[in-house]
Amino acid sequence: VSTQSTGASESQWNRYGRAVAYLIGLSYMFLGVNIIADVFMASIEVITSKTKKIKIATANANGDNGDDSPNTGPHFDTIEVKIWNDTVSNLTLMALGSSAPEILLSIIEIVGNGFEPGELGPGTIVGSASFNLLVITAICIFCIPDGESRRIKEINVFACTSFFAVFAYIWLYLVIEVITPNVIEIWEGIVTFLFFPLIVLLAFAADKNFWRKQMEMDGDWNQMQVQAGFALGDVFTKQKSGSEEDVRHIIEMGKKQLKDPKEAADIATAEMLRRTHHSRAWYRVIAGRANKGGSKVPFYNKPKEDEAAMLEGKEPSRNGDMTVARVEFSAAAYSCMENEGTIKLGVIRTGNLNCKTSVNFETSDGTANAGEDYVAKAGVIEFEEGEYIKSVEIEIIDDDVWEETETFFVRLFNPSRGTEMDKICVTQVSIINDDEPGILQFQKPSYLYKESAGIAELVIERNDGCDGRVTVRYKTKDITAIAGKDYEARDEEVEFTHGEVTKTIQIPLHDDDVFNEDKIFEVMLSDPTAGSTLGKSKCTIVTILNDDDYQTLITRVANLTSVNLDKLVIGKESWKQQFTEALSVNGGNVEDAEAIDFVLHFLTFGWKVLFACVPPAHIAGGWLCFCVSLGVIAMVTAIIGDMASILGLLLGIKDSVTAITLVALGTSLPDTFASKVAAMNEDTADAAIGNITGSNSVNVFLGLGIPWVIATLYKHYAYAPDDRRSKFIVTDKSLPFTIALYSIAAISTLLLLTWRRYSVKAGKAELGGDPKIKKICAMICFILWLIYIVCASLYAYEIIKF
């Protein structure tokens, strides 16, 4: 409108003003293609996550139960099997989903140029492959928290796709530069395309270990083959989402009172997400939502190993795959009776166990004096290879003089090279006097029990002496709880034998089905004998929690958890849901939205509303959404190709350089965010970098194989054999050089990952590990990418020649 009113056409605008306008427009188009690509990936997730139920015979299916029990006939287990094998889906639909813009750009460019080759499509494919393998790998190596690492689990599949990730580009170089220089023939296009089903077949064979005579079975369902015909899928156990049983289990094992239901629901949601394996498509869509102001997962940070172990009711792991040995005491405090003679202090080593290491120790006085209460000691603790625990034995001096409990300290210092001190490098040792009858008191001033617990267990301690036999009485007293109705009254005597320092008493609790307020009663100690006395905590308060109130909290938390999980479901079931989400900031959760969420929502609002018109992913099994969104991606990609070419002309940049920089960067950024999120949240590196090599090879086999077949066949039948137009001639002189450059960088990166996998210094893992090593490795990958960009650009402008 403005150009018509002023009579000025776009060509008369300032050149750099037009360049800025096209750059902004191109960025907006990249934003749009990434949003519709997320819709496309949602349909793929729905398609590939489908399962079917099958029955498999158990070990006693023939009726032999292996014991004397009667024969009850065949037994079968019903399990769910994924219809799509993970490896097949990763190399077909998911690879197509992540690489659709690059593949479609190459096809559209050739068709739009009258079946003549262009520079933008092939350059984008090679440039995108370079960014994916080098930059994304660098980010994933670096983003793992210090002290953690991620290994590729499906190493056979990764080895197969890594070979093709290099072979595809070597083949591309041979076709363009060696076999038929600068000319693509029909058979070359067909062979290039046929490599696609070949890599899928070989990767599937690697996944199923077809080359092994016998598969090692470790009892893990995920590793077992389903003996029910030729099942392509994997065994799949469907977990309950936000059930009350799950929520109760997580909260109770967390061992904390969560009076805020929202906080409890967030923790339960995070734990359920942590325990569930997600596909690359899931991470791509979730990361995309967060980057466009939609509903996002606020639980990206993976719990530390020790925190996760404690939540599951296990001891923290002390055998992490670390490159540095760490030593510490097994406890921050120890205690012993004066008459025990000696005490052993545990010293443990974690991290690197594959080396010899040593650390010094020495004692120091506290209230206990060396020579009077204990024997001072100093020395060196040596760990051999594989040893992870040692002990230090300190002699305790027994005397006939009564003393209060006394303490001394033992410290670790001067670790050998390659060894670090962990948190507990100093421990306290308490010597409990045994020459007096002791002081009796409750261990805690208060206790908390649910009424359904049945029994309240209270601990009475005997401090500052344990000589002889002593007794003490305990008696219950009503406060708001009523004896006989809420608990059983007790008035009994407790006996401590010589040397005994703790005793546990039990008070039965009554459970009822009537909703009541929490009840409280008191337990008091009295009448100590044999010279023993009562301490400060001579009474304790017991609170009985009402189970009905607790169940109400659990139900509310379960409902909130289900709402949280529903927000994370990939794909919607109706257009109403799609438009509601498109019109909402942060998925409708405005209270928790940040300023950046409103900015991103504003920038992407038009695209989100437009693409909400695409059929929902759960209609027609996801295939309708798949086809429609693929067509929309093609249309947006066509506009991106034209705008990128015009921007290059305005800035004086060749299409080959524009392709490996601006276009490759714009199409690869969503995968970058998805890989980072996957690296930090998954226990393995497969979802983060395991799919990069497969996508890079599929880019060539589909992104160049398909257009080459179309163009060469068209030219073969449209023109006479002696007509020069019948030949598909590659005019981009810099393409072979960029391919060779990428191949060298790819081989270098894959060798680096291989070294990391088997190197103790790198933590024997592809991602994470030693902080210094991971920074160096990430820097190497990033520098390789910069070298690729600079050298390819200089070669395109003939500044450097080979």
Side-chain angles (χ1 to χ4, degrees):
V1 176
S2 60
T3 56
Q4 291 178 355
S5 61
T6 57
S9 65
E10 181 187 329
S11 61
Q12 295 176 313
W13 293 3
N14 178 273
R15 175 183 174 184
Y16 295 105
R18 290 179 62 195
V20 172
Y22 272 94
L23 181 60
I24 294 174
L26 185 62
S27 300
Y28 193 68
M29 297 306 295
F30 279 134
L31 194 60
V33 79
N34 289 328
I35 292 175
I36 188 60
D38 289 341
V39 177
F40 187 52
M41 291 295 282
S43 69
I44 292 173
E45 173 69 8
V46 171
I47 293 170
T48 58
S49 63
K50 291 184 179 299
T51 63
K52 64 178 180 180
K53 293 183 178 180
I54 64 173
K55 291 184 177 181
I56 60 172
T58 59
N60 60 348
N62 59 0
D64 181 9
N65 298 322
D67 53 25
D68 296 332
S69 61
N71 190 326
T72 58
H75 292 267
F76 296 91
D77 285 337
T78 300
I79 60 173
E80 283 191 81
V81 179
K82 292 182 68 175
I83 297 175
W84 281 81
N85 172 268
D86 285 341
T87 299
V88 174
S89 63
N90 285 339
L91 288 174
T92 53
L93 294 183
M94 289 190 187
L96 178 61
S98 61
S99 303
E102 297 96 314
I103 295 172
L104 291 174
L105 179 62
S106 179
I107 297 173
I108 292 170
E109 183 184 38
I110 285 181
V111 174
N113 288 344
F115 299 98
E116 295 294 338
E119 296 181 0
L120 205 59
T124 299
I125 287 176
V126 181
S128 177
S130 174
F131 185 90
N132 291 343
L133 185 59
L134 303 177
V135 177
I136 293 181
T137 299
I139 292 173
C140 290
I141 291 174
F142 181 76
C143 74
I144 304 298
D146 290 346
E148 297 184 18
S149 60
R150 308 282 188 273
R151 282 171 63 90
I152 292 176
K153 181 181 179 182
E154 302 295 338
I155 190 61
N156 291 339
V157 176
F158 183 72
C160 178
T161 56
S162 295
F163 168 78
F164 277 97
V166 177
F167 169 77
Y169 294 86
I170 294 177
W171 166 255
L172 193 58
Y173 180 86
L174 293 175
V175 168
I176 296 175
E177 194 72 7
V178 179
I179 301 175
T180 53
N182 300 323
V183 177
I184 308 298
E185 297 186 355
I186 295 177
W187 73 269
E188 291 172 328
I190 294 175
V191 170
T192 301
F193 174 75
L194 290 179
F195 280 131
F196 170 67
L198 178 63
I199 184 180
V200 175
L201 182 62
L202 292 179
F204 175 71
D207 179 41
K208 295 302 180 183
N209 294 279
F210 282 173
W211 294 292
R212 291 188 181 182
K213 293 183 179 179
Q214 182 178 4
M215 182 179 180
E216 297 179 0
M217 305 300 293
D218 60 1
D220 185 356
W221 275 110
N222 292 325
Q223 296 294 330
M224 295 177 63
Q225 304 297 316
V226 180
Q227 303 301 325
F230 187 69
L232 288 180
D234 298 321
V235 177
F236 174 74
T237 302
K238 201 167 187 178
Q239 72 169 42
K240 292 178 289 184
S241 298
S243 68
E244 293 185 13
E245 292 80 1
D246 290 337
V247 171
R248 186 191 303 274
H249 180 67
I250 290 172
I251 290 177
E252 289 186 350
M253 286 202 303
K255 296 179 180 176
K256 57 169 69 175
Q257 287 181 273
L258 296 173
K259 296 183 179 180
D260 182 5
K262 186 177 183 302
E263 176 193 2
D266 288 347
I267 292 176
T269 304
E271 180 62 16
M272 289 179 184
L273 289 177
R274 187 186 68 82
R275 295 179 181 182
T276 306
H277 168 72
H278 299 289
S279 68
R280 183 172 179 83
W282 189 89
Y283 282 111
R284 168 70 184 260
V285 175
I286 291 300
R289 286 181 182 177
N291 293 329
K292 63 185 180 186
S295 58
K296 56 182 180 291
V297 184
F299 318 113
Y300 282 160
N301 293 329
K302 188 177 185 293
K304 293 182 179 179
E305 184 179 0
D306 285 1
E307 292 175 359
M310 290 177 65
L311 189 59
E312 295 174 6
K314 303 176 183 177
E315 288 296 322
S317 172
R318 297 188 179 275
N319 293 310
D321 189 6
M322 308 288 289
T323 59
V324 177
R326 292 179 172 84
V327 293
E328 65 175 341
F329 286 107
S330 58
Y334 296 84
S335 62
C336 68
M337 302 304 301
E338 188 180 61
N339 61 358
E340 288 184 11
T342 59
I343 182 172
K344 288 185 177 181
L345 314 179
V347 179
I348 59 174
R349 175 172 66 160
T350 58
N352 184 12
L353 304 181
N354 300 319
C355 64
K356 293 183 179 181
T357 188
S358 64
V359 64
N360 290 57
F361 74 93
E362 67 176 7
T363 59
S364 60
D365 290 349
T367 56
N369 298 317
E372 297 178 4
D373 302 303
Y374 72 96
V375 176
K377 192 172 184 179
V380 179
I381 303 171
E382 295 183 345
F383 289 87
E384 298 294 329
E385 289 188 18
E387 280 190 308
Y388 62 91
I389 186 167
K390 286 282 192 177
S391 63
V392 176
E393 192 170 288
I394 308 293
E395 183 179 350
I396 305 298
I397 300 175
D398 190 11
D399 56 39
D400 296 329
V401 179
W402 181 87
E403 297 171 305
E404 292 184 352
T405 298
E406 297 176 309
T407 61
F408 66 94
F409 302 93
V410 185
R411 76 181 183 104
L412 301 175
F413 65 100
N414 192 28
S416 60
R417 186 174 182 181
T419 306
E420 295 179 355
M421 302 305 306
D422 217 331
K423 295 180 180 178
I424 310 175
C425 58
V426 178
T427 188
Q428 175 182 288
V429 181
S430 299
I431 305 174
I432 301 174
N433 182 67
D434 63 345
D435 298 313
E436 289 291 327
I439 299 174
L440 305 174
Q441 63 180 9
F442 283 108
Q443 187 180 64
K444 297 179 181 179
S446 64
Y447 290 84
L448 195 68
Y449 282 95
K450 293 183 296 181
E451 64 179 6
S452 61
I455 293 176
E457 293 187 340
L458 317 180
V459 179
I460 304 174
E461 292 182 329
R462 184 183 188 184
N463 300 320
D464 293 337
C466 59
D467 185 41
R469 173 188 173 275
V470 301
T471 62
V472 66
R473 296 195 68 83
Y474 72 92
K475 182 179 180 180
T476 59
K477 179 183 178 182
D478 292 352
I479 298 181
T480 58
I482 301 174
K485 179 181 178 181
D486 301 308
Y487 71 96
E488 288 290 336
R490 286 288 186 268
D491 185 359
E492 298 177 352
E493 188 176 80
V494 179
E495 178 182 337
F496 287 82
T497 60
H498 176 72
E500 196 171 15
V501 294
T502 62
K503 206 74 172 179
T504 301
I505 60 174
Q506 296 182 338
I507 300 175
L509 305 178
H510 292 174
D511 190 8
D512 56 45
D513 297 327
V514 181
F515 178 82
N516 296 304
E517 297 292 334
D518 296 342
K519 301 294 186 179
I520 301 172
F521 67 93
E522 183 181 33
V523 184
M524 297 176 292
L525 297 178
S526 63
D527 303 329
T529 63
S532 61
T533 58
L534 297 179
K536 294 181 179 179
S537 299
K538 59 184 179 181
C539 67
T540 187
I541 301 297
V542 180
T543 302
I544 307 173
L545 293 177
N546 184 271
D547 274 335
D548 303 313
D549 191 30
Y550 183 75
Q551 179 59 37
T552 301
L553 172 64
I554 291 294
T555 302
R556 187 177 177 190
V557 171
N559 292 335
L560 290 173
T561 303
S562 296
V563 171
N564 286 346
L565 294 174
D566 287 341
K567 292 179 180 179
L568 306 178
V569 172
I570 302 301
K572 301 302 180 183
E573 296 183 356
S574 66
W575 271 284
K576 180 181 178 180
Q577 291 178 342
Q578 290 190 163
F579 277 102
T580 300
E581 182 174 9
L583 296 171
S584 303
V585 179
N586 194 26
N589 185 12
V590 180
E591 293 181 358
D592 295 335
E594 301 175 359
I596 188 63
D597 294 323
F598 289 94
V599 173
L600 292 173
H601 178 69
F602 173 77
L603 293 175
T604 59
F605 181 79
W607 287 122
K608 291 195 292 187
V609 172
L610 178 63
F611 297 147
C613 299
V614 174
H618 286 275
I619 294 180
W623 288 105
L624 182 60
C625 178
F626 178 90
C627 296
V628 174
S629 57
L630 184 62
V632 176
I633 291 174
M635 290 188 289
V636 179
T637 301
I639 299 174
I640 287 176
D642 289 340
M643 294 186 71
S645 296
I646 295 173
L647 178 62
L649 289 173
L650 291 172
L651 297 177
I653 303 175
K654 290 188 175 183
D655 279 352
S656 59
V657 177
T658 303
I660 64 174
T661 52
L662 293 176
V663 183
L665 185 64
T667 56
S668 299
L669 276 179
D671 284 324
T672 305
F673 296 122
S675 291
K676 180 183 176 183
V677 174
M680 297 181 67
N681 288 271
E682 286 286 314
D683 293 326
T684 67
D686 296 75
I689 62 171
N691 296 315
I692 292 176
T693 50
S695 296
N696 283 359
S697 53
V698 170
N699 276 357
V700 173
F701 301 148
L702 294 184
L704 293 179
I706 293 176
W708 281 359
V709 171
I710 295 174
T712 52
L713 286 176
Y714 172 82
K715 286 177 169 290
H716 176 75
Y717 290 105
Y719 302 103
D722 57 347
D723 191 333
R724 192 176 186 280
R725 291 176 297 174
S726 65
K727 296 184 181 297
F728 187 80
I729 302 174
V730 178
T731 57
D732 185 1
K733 302 300 181 181
S734 64
L735 184 59
F737 178 77
T738 58
I739 294 171
L741 204 59
Y742 162 78
S743 300
I744 295 172
I747 293 173
S748 302
T749 302
L750 293 174
L751 288 176
L752 177 64
L753 292 176
T754 303
W755 173 80
R756 285 183 54 86
R757 183 176 182 84
Y758 296 102
S759 171
V760 175
K761 292 183 179 179
K764 289 188 175 182
E766 287 80 2
L767 306 181
D770 180 80
K772 294 181 181 178
I773 298 295
K774 76 176 183 181
K775 290 177 183 178
I776 294 173
C777 292
M779 188 63 68
I780 290 174
C781 292
F782 188 74
I783 290 175
L784 284 174
W785 180 71
L786 290 179
I787 292 174
Y788 165 80
I789 293 295
V790 172
C791 291
S793 301
L794 294 177
Y795 188 86
Y797 287 99
E798 300 182 352
I799 296 176
I800 58 174
K801 297 180 180 180
F802 290 95

